[in-house]
């Protein structure tokens, strides 16, 4: 059966919000006038998210459950869902209801009417977010636009709709540690945007604490910009010029009979240059680490279970129950996110 719309939903410990999410999402999709599937990606949840999804699937045949073997990260879960999805159009949305499912219908209408490949969900009202989160998000997007040249829409996260051609292009990229919200704009496909008000999380707790936000920022910078390497080069050049100037000054003052500066100034200078050297080595190390991880080719997620494969196996009448276990043939995607 042809699927016109796939809704990819990464989930990690979303047991509390799942009933509310499904209660709002299903009516929207039933009224949208297109065949659809909902690819719910359980990212190694430790609560009853997987069991709740399986229970909901009994009364919602369009729901497809994709379970990863272990927690692999938000971007990896999205990547897994995009690889598995079958739709002509695909939407990625979180389950916390901060991004309203009702906007999906508007996105699909814009995509069809304007014949674009990407429709970004842009947060026009973020009053429910803290001032810290709004400020850091604004700083993140402006910094990335400046240092990488990626024309990523400001206040557009991972709530977007993409055509099949766009998703195929994303899935074909060999990059490791991808940040999809920056990968998609780099493709340069025709795009449009739909504005919406960002709501508060309906239930549960945020799955993006400060540590994960910093990790996402680091992956974004090292994955899409060479500016840090240039910083290291300029730091090294500046340090050399300053050291040479200090040497000339010391020689001149010595020839004039003045005493050379004592050990405190020497220690300060040595410590300063040592700090710059360590900083530059750290920047280089981040890039070398990414190269090393890419060369190893280790998959960053494994699909342990896909309800679509399980259902097809059940209909074909396998001779052994073990033949139904997708975990024995876990899906590997070499370009998935951390």
């Amino acid at each position: 059966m042809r699927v016109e719309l796939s809704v990819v939903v990464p989930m990690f410990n979303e047991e509390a919000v799942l009933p509310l999410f499904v209660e709002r999402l299903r009516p929207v999709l039933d009224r949208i006038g297109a065949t659809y599937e909902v690819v719910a990606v359980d990212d190694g949840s430790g609560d009853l998210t997987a069991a709740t999804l399986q229970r909901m699937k009994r009364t919602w045949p369009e729901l497809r459950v994709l379970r990863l073997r272990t927690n692999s990260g938000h971007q990896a879960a999205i990547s897994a869902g995009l690889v598995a999805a079958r739709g002509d159009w695909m939407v990625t949305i979180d389950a916390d209801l901060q991004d309203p499912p009702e906007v999906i219908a508007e996105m699909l209408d814009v995509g069809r009417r304007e014949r674009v490949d990407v429709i970004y969900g842009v947060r026009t009202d973020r009053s429910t977010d803290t001032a810290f989160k709004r400020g850091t998000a604004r700083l993140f997007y402006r910094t990335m636009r400046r240092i990488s040249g990626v024309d990523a829409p400001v206040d557009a996260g991972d709530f977007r709709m993409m055509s099949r051609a766009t998703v195929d292009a994303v899935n074909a990229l060999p990059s490791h540690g991808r940040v999809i919200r920056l990968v998609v704009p780099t493709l340069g496909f025709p795009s449009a945007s739909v504005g919406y008000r960002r709501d508060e999380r309906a239930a549960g707790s945020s799955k993006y604490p400060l540590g994960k936000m910093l990790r996402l920022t680091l992956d974004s910078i090292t994955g899409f910009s060479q500016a840090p390497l240039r910083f290291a080069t300029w730091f090294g050049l500046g340090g050399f010029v300053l050291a040479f100037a200090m040497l000339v000054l010391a020689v001149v003052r010595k020839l004039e009979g003045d005493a050379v500066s004592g050990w405190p100034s020497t220690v300060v200078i040595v410590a300063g240059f040592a700090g710059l050297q360590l900083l530059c080595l750290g920047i280089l190390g981040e890039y070398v680490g990414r190269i090393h991880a890419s060369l190893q080719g280790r998959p960053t997620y494994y699909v342990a279970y896909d309800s679509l494969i399980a259902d097809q196996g059940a209909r074909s009448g396998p001779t052994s129950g073990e033949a139904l276990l997708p975990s024995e043939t876990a899906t590997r995607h070499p370009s998935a996110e951390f």
Side-chain angles (χ1 to χ4, degrees), residues 160-188:
R160 74 182 68 81
M161 178 176 287
M162 297 173 285
S163 66
R164 164 56 62 181
T166 305
V167 173
D168 287 344
V170 171
N171 291 339
L173 292 175
S175 59
H176 183 85
R178 64 171 56 171
V179 180
I180 297 178
R181 66 181 63 180
L182 295 178
V183 167
V184 174
T186 61
L187 298 175

Side-chain angles (χ1 to χ4, degrees), residues 46-277:
D47 61 1
L48 296 179
T49 296
T52 304
L53 287 171
Q54 286 297 127
R55 185 175 67 251
M56 291 178 170
K57 185 181 179 302
R58 298 172 188 169
T59 57
W60 193 10
E62 290 83 5
L63 178 61
R64 177 180 174 188
V65 182
L66 203 70
R67 193 168 66 245
L68 305 187
R69 283 188 177 276
T70 184
N71 178 245
S72 303
H74 182 258
Q75 300 295 298
I78 293 178
S79 293
L82 293 178
V83 170
R86 302 171 294 162
D88 298 328
W89 292 93
M90 302 184 203
V91 177
T92 56
I93 184 173
D94 291 337
D96 55 15
L97 290 176
Q98 289 189 286
D99 303 327
E102 293 78 10
V103 179
I104 293 176
E106 184 179 356
M107 286 180 166
L108 185 59
D109 181 63
V110 169
R112 289 171 170 172
R113 185 178 65 251
E114 300 188 13
R115 297 182 180 276
V116 293
D117 287 292
V118 184
I119 303 92
Y120 296 101
V122 177
R123 304 157 185 170
T124 56
D125 183 350
R126 302 191 61 168
S127 57
T128 57
D129 288 338
T130 63
F132 174 77
K133 190 166 186 178
R134 292 197 301 269
T136 53
R138 193 175 300 113
L139 178 63
F140 169 80
Y141 286 108
R142 289 181 178 175
T143 301
M144 290 307 304
R145 289 166 70 100
R146 180 175 294 274
I147 69 175
S148 67
V150 177
D151 191 21
V154 177
D155 289 327
D158 288 310
F159 183 30
R160 74 182 68 81
M161 178 176 287
M162 297 173 285
S163 66
R164 164 56 62 181
T166 305
V167 173
D168 287 344
V170 171
N171 291 339
L173 292 175
S175 59
H176 183 85
R178 64 171 56 171
V179 180
I180 297 178
R181 66 181 63 180
L182 295 178
V183 167
V184 174
T186 61
L187 298 175
F189 288 6
S191 64
S193 63
V194 172
Y196 68 94
R197 180 182 185 274
R198 184 169 172 83
D199 297 323
E200 294 182 357
R201 167 176 272 273
S205 58
S206 173
K207 306 306 183 297
Y208 249 108
L210 181 60
K212 287 189 176 181
M213 291 174 62
L214 292 175
R215 175 63 183 273
L216 178 68
T217 301
L218 183 60
D219 281 340
S220 300
I221 293 175
T222 56
F224 292 89
S225 174
Q226 295 182 357
L229 289 175
R230 296 192 181 101
F231 289 154
T233 301
W234 285 109
F235 279 143
L237 180 60
F240 173 78
V241 172
L242 184 58
F244 182 78
M246 292 295 295
L247 175 63
V248 172
L249 178 61
V251 171
V252 170
R253 296 191 66 178
K254 180 67 174 177
L255 294 175
E256 292 177 349
D258 294 337
V260 179
S261 301
W263 67 267
S265 58
T266 302
V267 170
V268 170
I269 293 172
V270 171
F273 281 110
L276 286 176
Q277 289 173 344

Side-chain angles (χ1 to χ4, degrees), residues 15 258 315:
E15 173 191 357
D258 294 337
R315 286 193 294 269

Side-chain angles (χ1 to χ4, degrees), residues 10-25:
M11 299 182 180
F12 179 64
N13 292 340
E14 299 290 6
E15 173 191 357
V17 78
L18 257 179
L20 300 173
F21 177 70
V22 171
E23 183 180 342
R24 284 183 57 181
L25 178 65

